Amino acid sequence: MLFLGGDAKGAERTNSSASDYNALGMKILIVDDDPDIHRIASLALTRHGQHQVIAAASGEEGVAAAVRERPNVIVLDLNMPGMDGLATLAALQADPAATAIPVIMLSASFTSDEQQRLNGIGLAGLLRKPLRPAAMAEQIEEIVASRVPRA
């Protein structure tokens, strides 16, 4: 699992780069209860990565959108009211139409304990808030690229 963004000590990285994988034009589902995150992510991902962004304001909306839209990747907020990120991830993993979609967890902070807990539950990676718009597309592309088998 890749951890990107912020100043995380001991953040896991790979030797692959986003340029190793042509990820332009991905459909990215952003699941976050904060409309500012939707706006920032949409601007960053359409301008810097030419991606299509779909926004969902809750875990329930996110699961429905994942099944309906079949995105290439889901960026999921860890801390949301109601159905939080972990419950949403479990619902996505239980749905045959969404189980293969890579999920990147998003949070303002990931403690060492949280990173340990989140490692091994099927996440593609972790992104830290605040989002850096200029780097967001590359960070997501790098995480997705790390999951693509190399020939």
Side-chain angles (χ1 to χ4, degrees):
M1 177 173 58
L2 287 175
F3 183 102
L4 298 173
D7 297 322
K9 293 180 180 167
E12 187 177 338
R13 309 266 313 177
T14 66
N15 292 329
S16 68
S17 69
S19 63
D20 293 337
Y21 173 69
N22 183 3
L24 289 179
M26 286 192 298
K27 186 186 291 189
I28 301 172
L29 172 60
I30 307 293
V31 183
D32 197 303
D33 59 311
D34 185 345
D36 289 337
I37 296 296
H38 294 167
R39 187 178 49 77
I40 292 166
S42 183
L43 286 171
L45 295 169
T46 56
R47 284 188 183 163
H48 297 286
Q50 300 174 354
H51 302 297
Q52 177 185 356
V53 177
I54 303 154
S58 69
E60 294 87 352
E61 286 181 25
V63 173
V67 170
R68 181 181 65 250
E69 298 289 338
R70 305 286 175 115
N72 300 99
V73 63
I74 299 169
V75 178
L76 174 62
D77 186 23
L78 178 61
N79 299 306
M80 294 184 293
M83 184 183 227
D84 70 3
L86 293 177
T88 303
L89 177 65
L92 290 165
Q93 291 173 333
D95 192 314
T99 192
I101 303 169
V103 177
I104 300 169
M105 195 66 76
L106 177 66
S107 182
S109 65
F110 289 105
T111 65
S112 296
D113 289 341
E114 283 178 319
Q115 287 180 48
Q116 287 290 82
R117 184 173 53 110
L118 294 172
N119 196 18
I121 64 168
L123 291 172
L126 304 173
L127 277 179
R128 183 182 299 252
K129 293 178 187 178
L131 298 174
R132 296 178 308 147
M136 186 178 184
E138 185 176 332
Q139 290 172 331
I140 291 172
E141 291 163 6
E142 183 176 342
I143 291 170
V144 172
S146 73
R147 297 179 54 86
V148 175
R150 304 278 183 227

